[in-house]
Amino acid sequence: MSSAAEPTRPVPVIAIDGPTASGKGTVAARVAQVLGFHLLDSGALYRLVALAALRRGLPLDAPAALARCAAALDASFDGGRVRLDGEEVGEAIRAEAVGNAASRVAAHPQVRTALLERQRGFRRAPGLVADGRDMGTVVFPDATVKVFLTASVESRADRRYKQLMEKGFSVNLCDLLRDLSERDARDSQRAAAPLRPAEDAFVLDTTALDIDEAVAAVLEFCERNGLSA
Ligand code: CDP
């Protein structure tokens, strides 16, 4: 039993950041499952704002309108289902066009601010695995564990190609490689919360690793930092 004098420990957060198609999403979901933690897919929030904006015909270079859209976003996540205005949109937000729009929407500081508290609200006991670009730097700077996953742009394009083909989207590898490079440049060069590893992040290059090896490496790092199943 904890005594009254004992300070309450903050709910642990494992921040997993990295560029597009670095395997973050899969690794984060697997780590959350093993540890029994909640999961925040922050990219899905930016994708939802992008989808809502595209559906409403909002220009992607109108920060004030996009920030209002983000603040009022009627979105819910439950057991892998993602809903926007009550409609299941799990598949729709995965389209490359929505991902590209999300990267443009996410470059506006006002949109990022509008989503900040919503993201922090996912921090609930027993713990959270947060997947994104700025989880360890901006949203949860006090995260217990910070991981930055990287991989060469070619291997990421290859993984994304296979992922999209499996989902039945028709894609061209050259277009994909160009889109990923553009998205990398936009994510890392933007002024607001640019993509970069936190100073205290464990940087893991997954180019030569399969998903099981990447998950094992992240879990081992968590364990070294006092978080185990
Ligand atoms: O699947 P992919 O890694 O390409 O994208 P995602 O994680 O679903 O995020 C979609 C877009 O949202 C990214 O290209 C980023 O520009 C943006 N994003 C962000 O700026 N900050 C985050 N924490 C998460 C995503």
Side-chain angles (χ1 to χ4, degrees):
M1 229 166 78
S2 65
S3 77
E6 211 172 274
T8 32
R9 289 218 196 105
V11 172
V13 174
I14 299 169
I16 303 186
D17 291 306
T20 186
S22 56
K24 289 172 292 120
T26 313
V27 171
R30 294 266 297 271
V31 169
Q33 194 185 23
V34 171
L35 297 178
F37 280 14
H38 299 283
L39 180 67
L40 164 62
D41 174 1
S42 62
L45 283 173
Y46 288 97
R47 286 173 181 266
L48 283 165
V49 175
L51 182 63
L54 292 171
R55 286 185 171 179
R56 285 166 206 171
L58 293 179
L60 300 180
D61 57 359
L66 292 169
R68 279 195 298 276
C69 175
L73 198 68
D74 175 10
S76 68
F77 298 84
D78 90 86
R81 281 178 199 276
V82 186
R83 288 196 178 82
L84 177 65
D85 299 321
E87 181 197 337
E88 162 87 54
V89 292
E91 287 286 311
I93 60 166
R94 294 293 142 203
E96 275 306 278
V98 177
N100 283 323
S103 159
R104 294 181 58 193
V105 160
H108 301 300
Q110 296 96 317
V111 172
R112 308 196 70 86
T113 304
L115 292 179
L116 197 56
E117 287 314 313
R118 193 189 288 252
Q119 293 176 85
R120 290 184 175 150
F122 281 76
R123 186 176 195 163
R124 280 176 280 119
L128 176 70
V129 179
D131 151 15
R133 301 290 190 287
D134 58 345
M135 299 295 101
T137 50
V138 176
V139 182
F140 302 108
D142 65 336
T144 326
V145 168
K146 297 179 186 178
V147 177
F148 193 85
L149 292 187
T150 60
S152 70
V153 71
E154 293 78 13
S155 72
R156 289 187 284 124
D158 199 47
R159 286 178 196 169
R160 180 54 53 91
Y161 178 78
K162 289 183 185 137
Q163 216 176 43
L164 289 168
M165 292 294 279
E166 270 166 25
K167 286 186 177 156
F169 289 110
S170 95
V171 269
N172 170 301
L173 190 55
C174 292
D175 291 349
L176 205 53
L177 193 59
R178 193 201 51 228
D179 282 354
L180 288 199
S181 304
E182 279 175 16
R183 212 187 297 181
D184 279 355
R186 198 158 42 222
D187 287 354
S188 42
Q189 285 161 17
R190 69 186 175 211
L195 172 69
R196 62 172 174 80
E199 275 174 20
D200 45 351
F202 164 52
V203 179
L204 180 66
D205 187 330
T206 67
T207 306
L209 302 183
D210 66 22
I211 217 68
D212 288 342
E213 292 167 326
V215 171
V218 172
L219 284 171
E220 194 194 311
F221 184 70
C222 291
E223 200 166 339
R224 273 192 267 141
N225 284 275
L227 294 179
S228 54

